[in-house]
């Protein structure tokens, strides 16, 4: 299809599409503009842009309706290869798109009209930027002559998202340069994914009229084949790193997996762990806890046992090899900050600088998988002393045993999180809200035999958009049940997104503990203004849930939760379980659980630095511990080791 623009003196365009002359429509609504555009050209331009993005690899579009974005909406609907979702609220739409992209790892096209709608995307743009989630954000705009003269819905949208996007493209009004859109779309797609994934902003102005009747499209040429590099490390550097790690006690630290999402990375890092005799401290969002081989020392309970000062003093690594982002756990970060190891090596193929504790001695810009395999292939790696890893595994097993026995009797976050993660289907994504919920996921999710992926909005760590992101995750994996947990504050913050669920198969647990539970563990708990930080829900969770078309289950004890989870897993459509948790009892249980560090300290005091590995030759249930130490423990030590939750703290 050919396209030719013939401008007449009175600015009425004549456009030839497929050789047939077309007289431009005239906008008689004079306040909309002083110059008339051409509806058919607007559509042809928008369709060429959208079709080029689809040809580059985009599969999903999320549209927020408005007059100015009409050509883009028509273009999306005209492409059968694009899955299109319409969301009225731009803020919810942004997080829905974020959830889609987080699972597909492809840029979702996110479209809005001009004006304040653009600003509603800002929270999701910041999250996508910091969380390295690819998005193509297209904001429709008024024509230049409508700017800065009080025209409706006309604001300065050029570079509206500042430094929070990987690139910003302000496109011209549709004109004869339409052929440039195809290579630009390929460039935009790549900018979303490499070298650091994230959002790209496209600002597209249109002149009225905006609704085309003919809707003829130009064929899109094949996009260029783009080959991005796998960043390898020079042999000399690999040899030097191998020498520094070999035979010395060290830790492999794996944080959030946005930049370690290589399919072969898990097996490569597991093998490296075996060769080095080093434990892997796995953040839940590294996803290495789930589906790990039984013979690999994957540590899931470090948040609890690294509170034991006797253990941390006796187990200081000589080196740390850090893949991915920083861990969630404050005890882990505190431990790493105080270890003063000679080699703290960060591995990151992107341009992000991952060093929150200021301990990096070397930063390797390389493929994590390739570096692991290169280190293993040197043949120079010797394992650390056997007792090093056994001590970490013994502590991990001790805490894990407690979570299955002494702390699995009442309704609080530990048994809830463990059961939710265990119920998540093979290969599915489990979504977690931020604040206390994400920390509980770290402390209590444990390990599973099944491969699954845990995801949260950890870019800027906000509680906003949790439900919108969850439903986007569910939309990207329609063949499996999507499970999730959020706090009551996060629920109320994003309650408007509930209506996006439709008939999707979701099980969402809302931890209703009176709002702001995290502040009970911070300095704010002792401040006279403490109540300013606590925000109990001011809406009825059940009424809001049912109004949005979800099934609602309200439970107040552990047997009730177990029954509700089974019912929700068996039922179709969106299911919400409101778990009413006693706030004071929850705080008490958390502190008792973290008090397991005192038990570890007691064992180390009795049996020395290797006491945990001596006591636990293999991980065993905590209820067998007292019998194993019955001849050694005193009455003062017994409560610390046995951890009877009925004790008053």
């Amino acid at each position: 299809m050919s396209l030719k623009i013939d401008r007449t003196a009175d600015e009425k365009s004549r456009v030839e599409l497929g050789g047939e002359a077309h007289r431009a429509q005239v906008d008689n609504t004079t306040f909309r503009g002083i110059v008339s555009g051409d509806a058919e050209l607007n559509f042809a331009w928008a369709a060429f842009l959208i079709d080029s993005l689809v040809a580059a690899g985009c599969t999903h579009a999320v549209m927020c309706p408005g007059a100015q974005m009409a050509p883009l909406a028509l273009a999306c609907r005209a492409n059968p290869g694009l899955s299109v979702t319409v969301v009225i609220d731009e803020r919810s739409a942004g997080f829905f798109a974020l959830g889609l992209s987080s699972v597909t790892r492809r840029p979702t096209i996110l479209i809005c009209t001009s004006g304040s709608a653009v600003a509603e995307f800002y929270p999701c743009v910041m999250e996508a930027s910091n969380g390295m989630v690819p998005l193509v954000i297209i904001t429709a705009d008024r024509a230049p002559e409508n700017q800065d003269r009080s025209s409706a819905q006309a604001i300065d949208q050029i570079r509206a998202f500042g430094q929070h996007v990987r690139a910003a493209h302000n496109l011209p009004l549709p004109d004869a340069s339409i052929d440039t859109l195809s290579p630009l779309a390929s460039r935009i797609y790549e900018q979303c994914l490499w070298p650091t994934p994230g959002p790209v902003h496209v600002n597209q102005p249109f002149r009225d009229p905006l609704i085309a009747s003919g809707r003829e499209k130009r064929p899109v040429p094949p996009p260029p084949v783009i080959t991005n590099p796998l960043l390898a490390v020079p042999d000399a550097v690999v040899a030097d790193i191998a020498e520094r790690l070999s035979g010395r006690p060290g830790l492999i630290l794996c944080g959030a997996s946005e930049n370690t999402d290589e399919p072969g990375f898990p097996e490569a890092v597991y093998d490296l762990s075996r060769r080095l005799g080093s434990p892997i401290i796995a953040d839940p969002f590294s996803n290495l806890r789930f589906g790990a081989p039984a013979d690999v020392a994957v540590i899931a309970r470090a948040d609890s046992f690294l509170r034991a000062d006797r253990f941390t003093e006796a187990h200081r690594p000589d080196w740390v090899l850090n893949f991915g982002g920083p861990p969630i756990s404050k005890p882990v970060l505190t431990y790493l900050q105080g270890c003063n190891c000679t080699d703290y090596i960060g591995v990151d193929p992107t341009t992000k600088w991952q060093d929150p504790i200021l301990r990096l001695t070397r930063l390797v810009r390389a493929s994590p998988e390739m570096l692991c395999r290169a280190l293993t292939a040197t043949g120079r790696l010797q394992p650390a002393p056997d007792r090093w890893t056994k001590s970490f595994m013994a502590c991990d097993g001790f805490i894990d045993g407690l979570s299955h026995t002494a702390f699995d009797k009442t309704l609080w976050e530990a048994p809830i999180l463990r059961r939710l993660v265990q119920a998540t289907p093979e290969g599915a994504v489990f979504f977690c809200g931020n604040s206390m919920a994400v920390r509980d996921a770290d402390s209590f999710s444990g390990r599973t035999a099944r491969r699954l992926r845990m995801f949260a909005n950890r870019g800027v760590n906000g509680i906003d958009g949790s439900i919108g992101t969850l439903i986007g995750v569910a939309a990207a994996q329609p063949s499996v049940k999507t499970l999730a947990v959020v706090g009551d504050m996060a629920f109320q913050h994003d309650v408007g997104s509930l209506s996006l669920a439709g008939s999707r198969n979701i099980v969402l647990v809302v931890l209703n503990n009176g709002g702001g539970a995290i502040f009970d563990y911070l300095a704010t708990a002792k401040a006279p203004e403490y109540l300013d930080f606590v925000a109990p829900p001011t809406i009825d969770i059940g009424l809001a849930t049912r109004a949005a078309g979800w099934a609602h289950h309200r439970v107040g004890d552990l047997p009730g939760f177990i029954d509700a989870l089974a019912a929700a897993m068996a039922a179709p459509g969106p299911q919400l379980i409101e778990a009413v948790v006693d706030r004071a009892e929850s705080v008490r249980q958390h502190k008792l659980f973290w008090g397991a560090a005192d038990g570890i300290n007691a064992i180390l005091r009795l049996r020395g630095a290797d006491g945990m590995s001596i006591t636990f030759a293999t991980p065993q249930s905590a209820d067998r511990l007292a019998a194993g130490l019955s001849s050694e423990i005193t009455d003062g030590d017994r409560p610390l080791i046995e951890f009877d939750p009925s004790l008053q703290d």
Side-chain angles (χ1 to χ4, degrees):
M1 176 177 63
S2 62
L3 181 148
K4 184 176 71 177
I5 306 295
D6 177 20
R7 298 289 183 191
T8 60
D10 62 359
E11 290 294 321
K12 295 177 182 177
S13 303
R14 181 179 298 275
V15 183
E16 292 187 5
L17 295 171
E20 180 180 352
H22 168 72
R23 172 68 66 177
Q25 300 177 37
V26 178
D27 179 18
N28 293 319
T29 311
T30 54
F31 75 88
R32 289 285 297 174
I34 57 175
V35 179
S36 291
D38 185 277
E40 299 298 339
L41 177 57
N42 286 339
F43 174 79
W45 178 279
F48 201 64
L49 174 62
I50 296 297
D51 291 353
S52 297
L53 288 169
V54 173
C58 292
T59 56
H60 290 78
V62 180
M63 308 188 308
C64 303
Q68 200 65 26
M69 52 79 70
L72 294 164
L74 299 177
C76 287
R77 288 299 188 187
N79 190 308
L82 194 61
S83 176
V84 180
T85 304
V86 177
V87 179
I88 295 174
D89 179 0
E90 287 85 7
R91 186 172 164 278
S92 294
F95 284 103
F96 179 86
L98 190 82
L100 278 170
S101 289
S102 71
V103 178
T104 66
R105 306 308 298 172
R106 293 171 178 263
T108 297
I109 303 170
L110 180 60
I111 298 171
C112 74
T113 195
S114 62
S116 62
V118 176
E120 297 294 331
F121 283 166
Y122 223 113
C124 87
V125 170
M126 289 190 291
E127 176 60 37
S129 179
N130 286 275
M132 294 191 290
V133 180
L135 291 175
V136 177
I137 301 152
I138 307 179
T139 55
D141 202 355
R142 300 295 304 278
E145 64 270 13
N146 294 110
Q147 301 295 331
D148 200 26
R149 65 178 183 91
S150 300
S151 291
Q153 290 184 227
I155 64 170
D156 184 358
Q157 298 177 189
I158 299 174
R159 298 188 178 274
F161 302 113
Q163 296 301 308
H164 297 291
V165 291
R166 301 294 179 261
H169 302 274
N170 186 47
L171 302 191
L173 288 160
D175 61 18
S177 66
I178 188 170
D179 287 324
T180 64
L181 293 179
S182 183
L184 176 63
S186 294
R187 182 183 177 195
I188 290 168
Y189 190 87
E190 186 199 25
Q191 289 171 330
C192 285
L193 295 171
W194 186 84
T196 305
V200 172
H201 178 210
V202 179
N203 192 60
Q204 177 60 70
F206 293 108
R207 282 196 179 107
D208 295 351
L210 302 170
I211 303 295
S213 55
R215 304 185 190 179
E216 295 188 50
K217 299 204 299 181
R218 294 169 59 93
V220 171
V225 176
I226 300 173
T227 302
N228 292 325
L230 283 175
L231 300 179
V233 181
D235 292 343
V237 175
V238 173
D240 181 53
I241 295 174
E243 183 178 352
R244 290 175 177 274
L245 306 186
S246 185
R248 304 167 68 204
L251 293 174
I252 299 174
L253 174 66
C254 292
S257 64
E258 292 90 348
N259 57 1
T260 54
D261 249 356
E262 301 165 308
F265 174 69
E267 290 305 322
V269 77
Y270 293 151
D271 194 30
L272 183 63
S273 170
R274 293 185 186 101
R275 301 295 182 93
L276 289 169
S278 300
I280 300 173
I281 294 184
D283 187 86
F285 301 102
S286 72
N287 300 304
L288 295 174
R289 298 181 181 183
F290 313 119
D295 67 327
V296 179
V298 174
I299 305 301
R301 303 288 186 174
D303 178 73
S304 296
F305 72 74
L306 287 181
R307 299 169 191 262
D309 52 5
R310 283 183 180 269
F311 183 87
T312 58
E313 289 168 5
H315 295 83
R316 296 190 181 277
D318 289 344
W319 56 262
V320 174
L321 186 59
N322 189 174
F323 298 98
I328 293 171
S329 170
K330 185 175 180 180
V332 172
L333 287 170
T334 300
Y335 169 65
L336 294 171
Q337 193 163 33
C339 72
N340 294 319
C341 56
T342 57
D343 294 279
Y344 197 113
I345 304 169
V347 184
D348 194 317
T350 74
T351 59
K352 289 196 77 171
W353 190 268
Q354 309 266 24
D355 185 25
I357 60 173
L358 305 177
R359 283 293 180 268
L360 276 183
T361 61
R362 184 192 294 246
L363 178 60
V364 182
R365 296 295 188 194
S367 155
E369 178 185 349
M370 290 186 70
L371 179 62
C372 288
R373 297 197 184 282
L375 288 169
T376 302
T378 62
R380 303 181 184 181
L381 300 181
Q382 297 296 320
D386 189 49
R387 62 182 182 273
W388 171 254
T389 295
K390 282 185 176 179
S391 291
F392 281 85
M393 292 182 68
C395 287
D396 201 63
F398 173 60
I399 302 296
D400 196 60
L402 287 173
S403 72
H404 286 74
T405 54
F407 291 93
D408 198 49
K409 299 175 181 178
T410 60
L411 185 69
W412 68 295
E413 289 79 0
I416 291 173
L417 262 297
R418 183 169 66 83
R419 284 172 171 81
L420 282 176
V421 172
Q422 291 292 333
T424 302
E426 174 79 31
V429 174
F430 176 87
F431 179 78
C432 186
N434 273 315
S435 195
M436 200 62 196
V438 79
R439 288 164 176 81
D440 287 334
D442 184 21
S443 295
F444 308 133
S445 62
R447 293 176 57 166
T448 68
R450 296 183 311 283
R451 287 281 178 94
L452 59 93
R453 182 181 172 199
M454 187 173 284
F455 178 75
N457 288 336
R458 294 303 292 170
V460 290
N461 302 351
I463 65 168
D464 55 332
S466 295
I467 296 175
T469 306
L470 159 65
I471 299 173
V473 167
Q477 52 175 27
S479 62
V480 296
K481 185 88 74 172
T482 299
L483 280 76
V485 61
V486 302
D488 47 13
M489 289 181 70
F491 173 85
Q492 181 157 319
H493 204 288
D494 198 27
V495 68
S497 292
L498 285 172
S499 61
L500 304 181
S503 60
R504 294 183 174 94
N505 293 318
I506 301 170
V507 177
L508 168 62
V509 173
V510 176
L511 302 170
N512 185 356
N513 54 19
I518 193 171
F519 296 109
D520 285 317
Y521 307 97
L522 304 176
T524 47
K526 298 179 181 179
E529 299 84 0
Y530 166 69
L531 292 179
D532 289 343
F533 297 89
V534 180
T538 56
I539 62 172
D540 187 307
I541 292 176
L543 287 177
T545 299
R546 292 190 293 273
W550 292 56
H552 175 245
H553 313 260
R554 193 173 193 268
V555 298
D557 55 33
L558 186 55
F561 174 78
I562 293 171
D563 291 343
L565 179 58
M569 290 297 293
Q575 310 280 319
L576 187 144
I577 302 173
E578 179 186 356
V580 182
V581 176
D582 182 278
R583 184 193 193 87
E585 179 62 17
S586 172
V587 172
R588 177 177 173 275
Q589 291 286 343
H590 275 86
K591 291 181 177 179
L592 278 171
F593 190 86
W594 293 330
D598 293 330
I600 293 171
N601 282 334
I603 294 169
L604 296 183
R605 181 169 58 79
L606 290 167
R607 290 190 165 179
D610 297 327
M612 288 301 294
S613 57
I614 293 171
T615 305
F616 290 102
T618 58
Q620 55 185 298
S621 183
D623 57 5
R624 297 172 57 191
L625 175 61
L629 292 175
S630 58
S631 63
E632 301 175 47
I633 62 174
T634 65
D635 289 341
D637 288 323
R638 191 176 301 277
L640 298 175
I641 296 172
E642 294 180 346
F643 283 91
D644 181 356
S646 65
L647 293 170
Q648 296 298 313
D649 55 354

